[in-house]
Amino acid sequence: MFTRLERSKQLILGGIFILDNHIEKYGWSAKWQELWQETGMEEQEKKPARIIADHGHLLRLITEEGECWGRISGRMRHDSLETSLAPAVGDWVAITGQSGEEAIIHNLVPRRSRVSRQAAGPVTKEQLIAANVDTLLIVAALNHDFNLRRLERYVLMAWNGGVRPVIVLSKSDLCNNVEEQIRSVEGIAPGVEVLAISAVEGQGKSLLERYLQPGLTVALTGSSGSGKSTLVNWMMGEDVQLTQSVREGDSRGRHTTTHREMFVLPQGAVLIDTPGMRELNLWDEGNDGLSHAFGEIEELAATCRFLDCSHTREAGCAVKEAIQDGSLDEKRLNNYLKMQKELQYQQRKEEVASRRRTASSKPANSRKPKHSRSVKEWEEA
């Protein structure tokens, strides 16, 4: 059997091999087949494929014939600049190309969910982390880098993209108050399951396996050093990802995973591993993520005296009353208000960016030629 490195070498040489060649193993189902037929791609002699790794300009695909390299067409690249719909790991796409050759990606099959954030930098742009994910495993290590406010942001990111979040507290062998930490996390993530595991001591694997059923797609996310690569190796039953130790002083880790990649787990699910995040700027897809992540605050807000209550200084504010009687943590409210403002700001920026994209994409024949002159200018000449 080929190792992953040997398979990559074959791909680099342009080969395509018949190994793990059933796209059903990578999540293809009757629902996707039905959606594929609705798109009409089959009539255009295109074939379905799933993106299983992102290496920059080249993407690794799984097709009915096996794995191959692929790149997006020039037209799709242009359209993705206008719409931010560049393909990502987990996407189902329509391709053309002969067996043994590099495939050309022409279209996206409509996504069912996504995990994304606001890209770093001044430009308002979505950075897609993974697509068509059923469950997002949010990994947080029970060490000195443990942070409840950061976990709230990850949970909101999942809900915003239509993905079910599950919080995985790793390195439980390094923590003396695991049950207390679980309760504190449950307090900031109502309705989200919280699992405590230790890959080193082999504890909690059966809890994870409930989310690893055949046909499902699971993604891993979390800060660098949280133990994601160790978790991947543990679930795979073999070392497929490099691991590194964290700094002793602050328990911070270095980026071990450098690109997004999909693995077929022995349990039958497919797993998308992603690089660790240093920062998480939110991107809103309009899926009421804030209501999911902070449901108890929005329930309280519905009983405030004023409909436009800011929950800061108004009289009759049910949210402030809950803080005073101890039923709501003030830090949680502060984080809610902070993320609410962040999402509103991001939405305003995206509206402006969208108008600019629309204005710049007018048909060529509607634009004034660079050196053209008006009728009046010609008459005065």
Side-chain angles (χ1 to χ4, degrees):
M1 179 174 289
F2 292 109
T3 65
R4 183 168 290 271
L5 178 59
E6 288 169 339
R7 293 202 297 268
S8 297
K9 286 180 179 178
Q10 286 204 9
L11 289 170
I12 292 171
L13 292 172
I16 186 167
F17 44 86
I18 311 303
L19 190 66
D20 289 339
N21 59 334
H22 300 296
I23 56 176
E24 287 83 2
K25 291 184 178 179
Y26 287 83
W28 188 257
S29 64
K31 289 184 178 179
W32 284 113
Q33 180 65 37
E34 182 180 350
L35 188 57
W36 172 260
Q37 292 173 343
E38 290 175 0
T39 62
M41 300 298 174
E42 198 164 4
E43 298 173 2
Q44 302 174 26
E45 298 184 353
K46 295 174 182 175
K47 298 178 290 186
R50 194 173 198 186
I51 299 174
I52 60 175
D54 184 348
H55 295 274
H57 292 297
L58 283 177
L59 301 168
R60 201 157 79 241
L61 310 173
I62 184 69
T63 72
E64 294 173 340
E65 300 170 323
E67 290 187 27
C68 67
W69 287 115
R71 66 174 69 238
I72 65 175
S73 67
R75 182 181 182 85
M76 188 178 187
R77 186 178 301 279
H78 175 269
D79 291 345
S80 68
L81 293 176
E82 299 288 340
T83 62
S84 300
L85 284 176
V89 173
D91 267 322
W92 290 100
V93 293
I95 66 170
T96 58
Q98 299 299 318
S99 177
E101 297 179 354
E102 187 177 278
I104 302 298
I105 302 169
H106 296 276
N107 307 89
L108 282 178
V109 180
R111 294 173 179 135
R112 295 168 61 181
S113 65
R114 65 211 294 148
V115 178
S116 63
R117 64 175 178 176
Q118 160 66 39
V123 179
T124 303
K125 184 178 180 181
E126 178 186 20
Q127 181 186 15
L128 198 62
I129 298 166
N132 299 315
V133 175
D134 297 297
T135 301
L136 181 65
L137 300 178
I138 303 168
V139 185
L142 288 171
N143 55 19
H144 299 305
D145 194 39
F146 183 72
N147 189 307
L148 290 176
R149 306 282 79 83
R150 187 190 302 145
L151 277 175
E152 285 177 326
R153 298 179 76 81
Y154 278 111
V155 170
L156 180 53
M157 177 180 70
W159 288 129
N160 274 343
V163 181
R164 176 178 59 178
V166 172
I167 297 175
V168 180
L169 303 180
S170 63
K171 305 182 182 181
S172 61
D173 54 294
L174 302 179
C175 181
N176 296 322
N177 57 337
V178 175
E179 293 300 324
E180 181 181 339
Q181 294 288 52
I182 290 176
R183 287 193 295 271
S184 66
V185 174
E186 289 174 339
I188 59 96
V192 177
E193 184 164 10
V194 182
L195 312 177
I197 66 168
S198 171
V200 174
E201 296 188 353
Q203 297 176 354
K205 192 172 184 179
S206 61
L207 300 175
L208 272 177
E209 289 180 337
R210 288 179 294 166
Y211 299 98
L212 308 180
Q213 301 302 313
L216 298 180
T217 298
V218 178
L220 277 180
T221 191
S223 302
S224 299
S226 60
K228 297 191 305 301
S229 296
T230 300
L231 189 57
V232 172
N233 293 339
W234 189 38
M235 287 189 285
M236 286 289 292
E238 59 178 313
D239 291 340
V240 294
Q241 293 288 65
L242 295 175
T243 59
Q244 295 181 359
S245 59
V246 299
R247 297 196 299 255
E248 293 292 336
D250 57 6
S251 296
R252 291 292 183 93
R254 292 171 289 177
H255 291 299
T256 302
T257 302
T258 57
H259 62 275
R260 298 169 184 87
E261 185 168 6
M262 182 181 289
F263 300 90
V264 178
L265 296 174
Q267 296 86 351
V270 288
L271 174 72
I272 301 175
D273 191 17
T274 66
M277 297 185 191
R278 291 296 189 194
E279 60 179 279
L280 176 54
N281 297 316
L282 298 171
W283 182 270
D284 187 9
E285 274 299 310
N287 286 314
D288 296 325
L290 206 64
S291 298
H292 282 290
F294 294 90
E296 82 282 23
I297 293 180
E298 299 219 339
E299 286 181 11
L300 288 168
T303 63
C304 289
R305 180 182 300 176
F306 304 104
L307 293 176
D308 60 347
C309 183
S310 66
H311 318 306
T312 54
R313 60 181 68 88
E314 294 89 344
C317 175
V319 177
K320 298 295 289 185
E321 291 175 1
I323 290 175
Q324 292 172 2
D325 65 26
S327 58
L328 179 66
D329 185 357
E330 187 171 12
K331 291 181 180 179
R332 180 156 169 80
L333 172 62
N334 292 338
N335 207 31
Y336 167 79
L337 296 174
K338 178 181 178 181
M339 287 193 276
Q340 184 183 56
K341 290 179 180 178
E342 183 178 334
L343 288 173
Q344 290 170 348
Y345 178 62
Q346 177 260 316
Q347 288 170 348
R348 291 195 297 269
K349 287 175 62 181
E350 172 57 16
E351 288 172 1
V352 172
S354 179
R355 288 196 294 269
R356 288 176 178 171
R357 288 195 296 267
T358 301
S360 65
S361 61
K362 292 180 180 178
N365 59 9
S366 71
R367 299 174 185 167
K368 184 178 179 181
K370 183 177 181 181
H371 301 295
S372 69
R373 291 190 287 183
S374 66
V375 173
K376 183 177 181 181
E377 289 172 335
W378 279 109
E379 290 175 347
E380 293 176 349

